[in-house]
Amino acid sequence: MLKEKGLLSAASVGGLMALAFVLLVLRRPDIITHAQPWAEDGKIWMAGIYNDGFWSSLLLPQNGYYQTISRIAYGVSLAFGLEHAALGANLIALLIRCCFVGFLLSSRMNYIPVAYRLAAAAYFVLMPNLSEGFVNITNLRWYKKSFGLLRVRARTNRTLPQFTLNC
């Protein structure tokens, strides 16, 4: 599981992401078995895409801001039918939360000891008092903000081409 210098292998990170997915579903199985739109998910995001089409609703602001991840998630989910749209959006939200765990455990965060990263990932998955807005595409923005903060602090990925802008 641990490689040299306390790094987790890619298979270990993938396995821990899968474990996070299973734990999140076991914590609230109704998000999969009885998926329902939450708050403005059905009334605004899903209805807008269903009635106006994907591209035209994607460019519409709602209350002064663009909620693109919700619209994209419901646009993808509606491809599988209206009855499965909430399930698809919940699965997308679950996968994005699991990707946050994977990024936290990746080699880009290896300046933090692996024990601390594992503890933070465990807390992130088992966080208490989240019954109302547990996993849904609308509340995903809080996890995206945390992911953005981690990306600022993360080390540069040497396997991807790096682009710089000279302004």
Side-chain angles (χ1 to χ4, degrees), residues 3-51:
K3 296 190 316 187
E4 74 278 350
K5 294 192 271 185
L7 298 177
L8 293 169
S9 67
S12 298
V13 171
L16 290 170
M17 287 173 64
L19 178 64
F21 184 87
V22 169
L23 289 174
L24 288 169
V25 170
L26 287 176
R27 187 170 174 188
R28 287 267 321 264
D30 62 308
I31 60 176
I32 300 295
T33 59
H34 295 56
Q36 298 176 7
W38 190 79
E40 63 267 5
D41 288 355
K43 182 179 179 184
I44 297 172
W45 316 132
M46 186 169 56
I49 290 173
Y50 186 77
N51 294 327

Side-chain angles (χ1 to χ4, degrees), residues 40 43-45 60-67 71 141:
E40 63 267 5
K43 182 179 179 184
I44 297 172
W45 316 132
L60 292 175
Q62 177 66 31
N63 296 334
Y65 68 97
Y66 291 104
Q67 184 79 12
R71 293 184 193 266
R141 67 179 176 270

Side-chain angles (χ1 to χ4, degrees), residues 61-79:
Q62 177 66 31
N63 296 334
Y65 68 97
Y66 291 104
Q67 184 79 12
T68 54
I69 190 71
S70 298
R71 293 184 193 266
I72 291 171
Y74 274 102
V76 169
S77 300
L78 280 170

Side-chain angles (χ1 to χ4, degrees), residues 62-127:
Q62 177 66 31
N63 296 334
Y65 68 97
Y66 291 104
Q67 184 79 12
T68 54
I69 190 71
S70 298
R71 293 184 193 266
I72 291 171
Y74 274 102
V76 169
S77 300
L78 280 170
F80 299 105
L82 186 60
E83 64 275 1
H84 301 298
L87 174 63
N90 286 351
L91 287 174
I92 290 170
L94 277 168
L95 291 173
I96 291 173
R97 281 189 73 171
C98 292
C99 287
F100 178 81
V101 169
F103 188 80
L104 180 63
L105 299 175
S106 73
S107 63
R108 292 186 67 188
M109 300 299 292
N110 66 358
Y111 65 91
I112 301 172
V114 70
Y116 295 152
R117 292 186 287 146
L118 286 169
Y123 179 75
F124 181 72
V125 171
L126 303 172
M127 196 180 308

